[in-house]
Amino acid sequence: MEAIKTMRHSVIENPCHACMPLGAILAFKGIQGAMVIIHGSQGCSTYMRRHISEHYNEPIDVASSSITEPGTIYGGSVHLKKGLDHLIQVYHPELIGILSTCLAETIGEDIARIAAEYTVERDMGAYPLVSVPTPGYGGGHSEGYFLAVRHIIARIARPVPKHHRINVIVPHLTPAEVREIKRIMDLMGVDYILCPDYSETLDSPFARPYQKIAGGGTSLQELAMMGGASATIEMSRCVETHLSPGRYLAGTFEVPLYNSPVPVGIEATDLFVNLLKELTGQPLPDVLQRERGRLLDGMIDSHKYNAEGRAVIFGDPDMVLAVSSICMENGIVPAVAASGVHSKALELEMQTLTAGRTDVATVTETDLAVIRDLAVKAEANIAIGHSDGRYLTEREGIPLVRLGFPIHDRVGGQRLVSVGYAGTMMLLDRITNCLLDSKLSAYRPRMLKKYYSEPSGKF
Ligand code: SF4
């Protein structure tokens, strides 16, 4: 396997990831009663709201300190404190996340100090203000997401007496996928604390009257209990040590940590349910056993089509690893596996997954211009990733299976399910049908041209 580490250009051309504070917002949306304020210019929060809203098709309320020119020169603490006043007045949140931006970090704003000052000045006692330093250039949205979860847990979790519940830390999935993970655990009788739980907050049912903060999310009581859990399952093989919420819980409260891959594909889902079986002593229920059987059946049905697949896969490191894994299970070559963020872990995991192959390239900290070049070179015939890769279809004719974040040129991105046995089956069908569609739409004209010299390719 070839690991490619350099970018084609000294600048990013068509980025493959969103910025750090955007990912952190998503984590806070999974906490019950939480609101977020962005310390930076108005433009940052507008971009983030719009980007998130287009994917989830939900109203995304995010406050902003709206630093202007004087704030940039003399410091923006007055703006941030005023913004916090308004936010509390309008939303009455149970917890507030304070996120920095490129601008705030570049001018040296210390949001933790400003938050501490604010708490004293407003006599707020132990009110949970959670500040997370998230310069946009500090990483991608997946890093901001994990960093925010870690900070939230570090602020709220307590050294409570040991109990039998299991912490489950999910990476950035779709709300429907979080619901699927919960369904699997409910079927197995697992008593869990899932964090962050945006299964309802980012995919709310239509309701009147409008709620300023959507219902659902991991409660503060549950977060406090995480320090006494019997184990933590962190669904990530790519999270960096300093960003890992599970490592924080292990280091601070000695909660045993299990890093499982995202349960996409039969092997990864087996690993997840086997871990649940081991931790709880519960057997695999019949309904999941049957879903597993159906997936095996579906894999047999589609393998003959998938054997022709050469995929270019791009997105968050954990998603790229999960999709590469399902490709390998089904005879598709993950010809290019790429992420916009730096991820040594992805490179190492891909080396293990594709050991002995020379037709796989892994590239991290890259952009879609490089990914496009590599995809053409690798003769990829299917792309799997978020909407920003649509240029692969438009310019190179490589069809795109939309997956991950953001999906803003189609509806339903928040309802896609690719985890668990049932979700894997749905993803595999989408991939197989995409390959079939390419094949069937091209082969008749090719055949007619070859055997009947019919240039139009029509009967
Ligand atoms: S990259 Fe920086 S400037 Fe751009 S939206 Fe993110 S925080 Fe704001």
Side-chain angles (χ1 to χ4, degrees):
M1 189 204 74
E2 191 187 356
I4 300 167
K5 297 189 185 85
T6 51
M7 280 195 287
R8 187 178 66 169
H9 314 288
S10 53
V11 293
I12 290 180
E13 193 184 321
N14 196 4
C16 186
H17 63 282
C19 68
M20 232 183 156
L22 187 150
I25 291 171
L26 299 172
F28 278 100
K29 290 291 173 191
I31 307 302
Q32 187 177 296
M35 256 300 283
V36 186
I37 184 164
I38 302 280
H39 188 36
S41 69
Q42 183 65 255
C44 293
S45 54
T46 304
Y47 150 70
M48 292 176 214
R49 275 185 221 116
R50 189 194 63 83
H51 215 57
I52 300 173
S53 184
E54 276 185 344
H55 175 88
Y56 291 98
N57 288 292
E58 294 285 328
I60 302 295
D61 286 21
V62 174
S64 170
S65 63
S66 303
I67 304 181
T68 52
E69 288 83 350
T72 306
I73 296 164
Y74 301 113
S77 65
V78 176
H79 296 74
L80 180 54
K81 289 174 186 175
K82 213 184 253 183
L84 283 164
D85 284 343
H86 289 156
L87 188 161
I88 292 168
Q89 203 180 3
V90 175
Y91 290 91
H92 308 290
E94 292 178 40
L95 175 147
I96 300 174
I98 304 174
L99 308 175
S100 56
T101 53
C102 294
L103 172 64
E105 292 289 335
T106 302
I107 63 174
E109 291 287 86
D110 183 349
I111 52 171
R113 178 189 58 76
I114 299 170
E117 261 177 32
Y118 182 81
T119 311
V120 173
E121 286 167 11
R122 303 295 191 272
D123 197 14
M124 294 173 76
Y127 185 89
L129 292 179
V130 182
S131 54
V132 190
T134 48
Y137 47 73
H141 61 274
S142 53
E143 288 154 305
Y145 174 94
F146 275 117
L147 184 65
V149 177
R150 184 176 168 121
H151 275 254
I152 293 164
I153 291 172
R155 176 70 173 79
I156 310 291
R158 292 283 167 270
V160 294
K162 291 285 170 204
H163 54 83
H164 66 281
R165 296 178 81 178
I166 295 171
N167 301 325
V168 178
I169 313 274
V170 290
H172 182 210
L173 305 172
T174 69
E177 285 175 329
V178 178
R179 291 197 290 271
E180 177 64 5
I181 299 285
K182 288 163 73 172
R183 183 185 75 94
I184 291 170
M185 294 195 293
D186 288 340
L187 283 167
M188 294 189 68
V190 181
D191 195 357
Y192 58 87
I193 299 171
L194 186 139
C195 176
D197 185 356
Y198 42 84
S199 57
E200 296 296 323
T201 55
L202 289 177
D203 190 17
S204 305
F206 176 81
R208 294 270 188 228
Y210 174 70
Q211 285 180 289
K212 286 193 189 121
I213 298 180
T218 315
S219 68
L220 296 189
Q221 291 77 11
E222 286 177 311
L223 287 166
M225 297 276 288
M226 291 181 90
S230 61
T232 299
I233 299 176
E234 188 167 72
M235 246 175 234
S236 173
R237 283 278 166 86
C238 296
V239 60
E240 305 276 337
T241 305
H242 68 287
L243 303 174
S244 161
R247 286 207 186 247
Y248 172 82
L249 286 162
T252 311
F253 302 109
E254 297 180 354
V255 182
L257 172 63
Y258 299 85
N259 277 100
S260 79
V262 183
V264 175
I266 197 142
E267 190 182 353
T269 308
D270 281 352
L271 279 170
F272 177 56
V273 296
N274 287 340
L275 180 56
L276 293 177
K277 274 162 61 179
E278 188 187 316
L279 293 174
T280 63
Q282 301 284 353
L284 189 66
D286 188 52
V287 60
L288 290 179
Q289 193 69 54
R290 294 182 68 75
E291 285 174 14
R292 186 179 190 280
R294 268 186 219 109
L295 172 57
L296 281 172
D297 199 41
M299 288 167 73
I300 295 164
D301 294 343
S302 57
H303 80 279
K304 49 190 176 288
Y305 311 115
N306 289 324
E308 295 178 4
R310 293 184 59 76
V312 48
I313 303 156
F314 53 92
D316 298 356
D318 280 301
M319 192 284 281
V320 170
L321 181 61
V323 175
S324 301
S325 171
I326 188 181
C327 284
M328 290 291 285
E329 281 178 355
N330 290 278
I332 301 167
V333 179
V336 180
S339 182
V341 299
H342 169 75
S343 179
K344 189 75 199 158
L346 175 62
E347 289 172 11
L348 294 174
E349 290 286 342
M350 285 299 296
Q351 269 172 20
T352 310
L353 182 71
T354 62
R357 296 199 74 112
T358 53
D359 53 354
V360 175
T362 300
V363 54
T364 65
E365 216 173 352
T366 192
D367 59 21
L368 280 155
V370 173
I371 294 169
R372 181 179 159 198
D373 285 352
L374 291 171
V376 172
K377 194 172 145 209
E379 297 181 357
N381 58 4
I382 185 167
I384 307 170
H386 51 77
S387 285
D388 293 341
R390 63 192 178 279
Y391 299 106
L392 292 166
T393 311
E394 289 170 13
R395 294 180 191 166
E396 307 298 346
I398 305 170
L400 173 65
V401 174
R402 284 166 176 77
L403 186 78
F405 175 90
I407 296 176
H408 45 54
D409 58 349
R410 296 286 188 277
V411 294
Q414 76 277 38
R415 290 186 289 273
L416 292 174
V417 181
S418 307
V419 299
Y421 299 121
T424 297
M425 190 69 262
M426 287 191 257
L427 175 59
L428 185 59
D429 282 348
R430 290 209 296 141
I431 293 172
T432 310
N433 286 333
C434 181
L435 285 167
L436 271 171
D437 190 40
S438 294
K439 183 185 172 124
L440 297 178
S441 57
Y443 104 112
R444 276 182 197 281
R446 237 187 7 248
M447 290 251 297
L448 287 169
K449 195 171 178 187
K450 187 171 175 187
Y451 296 111
Y452 298 101
S453 304
E454 169 57 70
S456 72
K458 288 180 183 156
F459 284 112

